[in-house]
Amino acid sequence: MITGVIKNKIDKIWTDIWAGGLTMPFKVIEQITYLMFIRSLDQKEINNEKKAAMFKRRGIKSQVDMIFPASEAGQSMRWSRFKDADPDVIFNTLRVKVFPAIKEMKYGMLPDFDENGEVAVIADDPAKENGVQSAFSRFMKDALFELPTAEVVTKVITGLEDLYQHDIEDQDMQGDIYEYMLGKAASSGTNGQFRTPKHIRDMMVELLAPTPDDSICDPACGTAGFLISAAEYIRAKFEHNMSDEQWAHFQSTAFSGFDTDMTMLRISAMNLMLHGITHPVIDYKNSVSEKNTIDSEYTVCLANPPFKGTVDVETISTSLKAVTNTKKTELLFIALFLRMLKKGGRCACIVPDGVLFGSSKAHKAMRKELVENHTLQAVISMPSGVFKPYAGVSTAILVFIKTGAGGTEDVWFYDMQSDGFSLDDKRSEVQENDIPDIIERFHHLDGEKERKRTEQSFFVPKQEIIDNGYDLSINKYKEIEYVPVEYPPSEEIIANIEALELEIQKNLAELKDMLKE
């Protein structure tokens, strides 16, 4: 989580850029993000070098693809090489070499330079390209290096290096930093878009337990956090047993993400590339519009779609309106998940509480669709502080399987009380954490059958949900155990009050005597 110290350091970097004349908030965010990415490339290259050295010591013939060219010009682009140089050298290296090179990056490698100092375009390699243009290359084409002076660049690099060395090394903080910068730009939360905390994303991934053979999509991907969490899970569980075909799938078609914000798409492409996914299917797309025709393509959907947003009725896909005739994005995206999944595909998505109990025809139709025509597995109610300090919305996680033929019998409800962090704006780490328990119980649902409605989790039969108008709010079914409290007789309470009053009068009298002296 972002601490006060980290916020102060980011504020200082931001102020230095503003003082240099670059004042448009999103321009500031983009420039900082590019530099974070450039540093991350060097960190990844250091790991590549260690891996290559290890293979060499062990006598293992294994080709490790390096990011930076071996030439002097290529190596001069590394963060560790230029970060301590003179300001003019840093500025020119970034402007003339690094930035033009990353715009031409291909197959996870930076191009070298020719004898004239111009970027030498990397030759096409059908074996690596697989007919798909690099998402990174596509979205970086329009990127511009706009930090105005050598002095500003040096201050920003010094500030970032201090952050990484002392505050955020080896932590998944890039998304948190980006969200904080969005807040500074007064744009966080527009149309209900909030970055999902990593521990929540990781929990949702563990609930679905993706495999190397899955095709995973987030149609409102933002910074690609869900795709990164899924990739990390697959690596952790299967890395040592994956076939060549599975690795090829992992690096390309296993991960798809769509968004309508070009800045988000650039960050997604950078983020995925740094996690070894060199050819993800990242694209500019209004997912709920008629232009998105994807149907029955993915086996896993993970998403935190926009809340409380509406779209132009004329642009909404008719296939989605057939399921839930509405302009509300939180409902349209659920219908979209069902359409995009293959039969047997699984989804875990975050929804605002209104989706669970809303009384409109569209709300009821969407809930009925999940319960009657597919398999609704779980409704996990989350506390409202999960998205603080950016929002205090109450949310839940829906877990379901697309079947097209029903299958819902009993729906599992869980009342999350804590996610391991305080539920105020500070979001400090605390001991109470229901997430491990949620994962454990979900993967052993047979042991949940006998739980009572007074417990933290329990099953609700399908028929009971139908009888309640397909209401999925946990408060509709959870039973509160009231423990009777016995109070003393009224006469005793009054006597105690009178005794306290006499004591107060006595003390006041003693205080007055002391003041007279």
Side-chain angles (χ1 to χ4, degrees):
M1 305 298 290
I2 294 286
T3 64
V5 172
I6 295 175
K7 288 180 181 179
N8 291 338
K9 291 182 178 181
I10 296 171
D11 291 346
K12 174 64 167 59
I13 293 170
W14 189 289
T15 301
D16 288 337
I17 296 175
W18 274 47
L22 189 65
T23 57
M24 292 180 63
F26 273 98
K27 293 290 186 183
V28 175
I29 292 170
E30 278 194 301
Q31 298 305 304
I32 293 174
T33 305
Y34 295 150
L35 290 177
M36 290 168 64
F37 176 68
I38 291 165
R39 184 187 186 279
S40 299
L41 286 177
D42 190 34
Q43 292 298 305
K44 187 174 182 182
E45 187 77 327
I46 291 171
N47 292 333
N48 287 341
E49 290 170 339
K50 290 178 180 177
K51 188 184 295 183
M54 179 193 69
F55 287 148
K56 185 176 180 180
R57 285 196 307 270
R58 296 180 179 179
I60 301 173
K61 291 183 179 181
S62 179
Q63 178 66 37
V64 178
D65 291 330
M66 294 298 178
I67 299 170
F68 294 85
S71 68
E72 180 59 34
Q75 291 297 300
S76 70
M77 293 190 291
R78 298 180 63 169
W79 179 281
S80 56
R81 299 290 179 92
F82 66 71
K83 69 181 177 69
D84 296 320
D86 291 335
D88 288 337
V89 173
I90 296 174
F91 184 71
N92 287 324
T93 299
L94 285 168
R95 184 173 58 86
V96 177
K97 292 182 180 179
V98 181
F99 218 77
I102 64 173
K103 293 173 72 170
E104 299 297 334
M105 198 170 186
K106 192 180 289 186
Y107 317 128
M109 298 182 292
L110 289 167
D112 208 340
F113 298 86
D114 60 25
E115 62 274 9
N116 299 318
E118 300 292 331
V119 173
V121 178
I122 296 174
D124 289 337
D125 185 345
K128 293 180 179 178
E129 189 66 36
N130 292 323
V132 181
Q133 184 186 10
S134 166
F136 180 81
S137 299
R138 283 187 289 122
F139 296 120
M140 287 301 291
K141 286 293 183 185
D142 298 327
L144 298 172
F145 179 68
E146 298 186 70
L147 293 176
T149 66
E151 289 72 20
V152 170
V153 171
T154 302
K155 286 180 179 179
V156 175
I157 285 179
T158 301
L160 284 175
E161 189 65 12
D162 178 49
L163 261 177
Y164 277 102
Q165 290 294 332
H166 300 106
D167 301 289
I168 61 174
E169 192 68 29
D170 298 325
Q171 296 181 41
D172 176 52
M173 298 292 287
Q174 182 164 304
D176 288 321
I177 289 173
Y178 186 74
E179 190 66 52
Y180 176 64
M181 291 191 293
L182 279 179
K184 287 176 65 63
S187 299
S188 180
T190 301
N191 291 328
Q193 296 177 354
F194 303 100
R195 179 179 180 268
T196 311
K198 186 177 188 301
H199 61 287
I200 300 296
R201 299 193 324 252
D202 290 346
M203 175 187 72
M204 293 168 65
V205 169
E206 288 208 48
L207 293 176
L208 297 190
T211 72
D213 298 318
D214 277 312
S215 296
I216 303 164
C217 181
D218 180 354
C221 67
T223 59
F226 277 108
L227 302 180
I228 297 300
S229 288
E232 289 175 342
Y233 177 89
I234 291 171
R235 277 188 178 276
K237 295 287 185 180
F238 305 101
E239 182 172 16
H240 300 296
N241 299 309
M242 287 169 63
S243 66
D244 291 343
E245 291 77 11
Q246 287 175 326
W247 275 116
H249 177 58
F250 179 90
Q251 293 168 349
S252 56
T253 52
F255 303 98
S256 300
F258 311 119
D259 209 286
T260 56
D261 187 322
M262 292 300 293
T263 300
M264 294 289 191
L265 292 170
R266 277 195 283 268
I267 291 171
S268 293
M270 286 188 282
N271 207 0
L272 289 162
M273 182 175 290
L274 288 171
H275 285 80
I277 305 163
T278 53
H279 288 77
V281 183
I282 299 295
D283 205 356
Y284 180 89
K285 195 185 295 291
N286 180 351
S287 292
V288 297
S289 73
E290 283 284 8
K291 292 184 179 180
N292 178 14
T293 58
I294 297 173
D295 193 329
S296 303
E297 190 164 320
Y298 305 105
T299 58
V300 170
C301 274
L302 289 152
N304 178 9
F307 295 172
K308 300 179 182 177
T310 58
V311 292
D312 186 353
V313 176
E314 294 179 357
T315 67
I316 300 172
S317 170
T318 54
S319 66
L320 305 184
K321 288 193 288 187
V323 177
T324 176
N325 192 8
T326 181
K327 294 191 295 182
K328 292 184 177 296
T329 54
E330 59 264 38
L331 298 177
L332 291 170
F333 267 92
I334 299 174
L336 176 70
F337 302 145
L338 290 171
R339 193 190 75 194
M340 295 175 76
L341 285 169
K342 295 179 179 180
K343 283 192 176 181
R346 300 103 67 205
C347 178
C349 63
I350 296 174
V351 297
D353 273 2
V355 170
L356 307 180
F357 56 77
S359 58
S360 73
K361 289 183 178 179
H363 282 89
K364 290 181 178 179
M366 191 66 259
R367 296 195 299 266
K368 181 178 181 180
E369 176 71 17
L370 288 173
V371 172
E372 296 288 2
N373 298 329
H374 306 279
T375 301
L376 178 61
Q377 291 181 291
V379 179
I380 300 168
S381 176
M382 294 194 290
S384 59
V386 166
F387 287 99
K388 284 188 175 181
Y390 311 111
V393 293
S394 294
T395 58
I397 297 169
L398 297 180
V399 183
F400 55 87
I401 301 171
K402 175 180 177 178
T403 65
T408 302
E409 294 181 0
D410 299 310
V411 179
W412 185 67
F413 286 78
Y414 192 104
D415 186 13
M416 180 197 288
Q417 300 294 320
S418 176
D419 66 339
F421 295 89
S422 63
L423 299 174
D424 54 17
D425 286 351
K426 293 182 179 179
R427 293 291 276 152
S428 306
E429 196 165 351
V430 298
Q431 288 188 342
E432 296 79 13
N433 186 1
D434 290 331
I435 290 177
D437 186 51
I438 291 170
I439 295 168
E440 174 67 20
R441 294 191 188 192
F442 180 80
H443 288 299
H444 298 88
L445 290 178
D446 288 344
E448 297 290 292
K449 296 292 186 182
E450 303 303 319
R451 290 193 185 276
K452 298 178 181 178
R453 298 284 179 91
T454 54
E455 297 187 56
Q456 203 161 2
S457 66
F458 51 84
F459 275 111
V460 176
K462 173 185 174 182
Q463 189 57 51
E464 187 175 347
I465 293 172
I466 295 171
D467 293 343
N468 280 294
Y470 298 98
D471 194 313
L472 297 176
S473 57
I474 194 167
N475 292 333
K476 191 75 174 180
Y477 307 103
K478 189 175 177 64
E479 295 176 2
I480 306 299
E481 213 169 13
Y482 295 100
V483 179
V485 179
E486 293 187 9
Y487 295 98
S490 300
E491 295 81 2
E492 186 178 333
I493 294 173
I494 293 171
N496 289 336
I497 294 172
E498 289 174 339
L500 287 172
E501 188 175 358
L502 288 173
E503 184 70 21
I504 291 169
Q505 293 299 327
K506 178 183 175 183
N507 290 336
L508 283 173
E510 290 179 358
L511 181 60
K512 288 177 181 179
D513 291 340
M514 290 173 64
L515 292 173
K516 287 177 182 179
E517 296 175 0

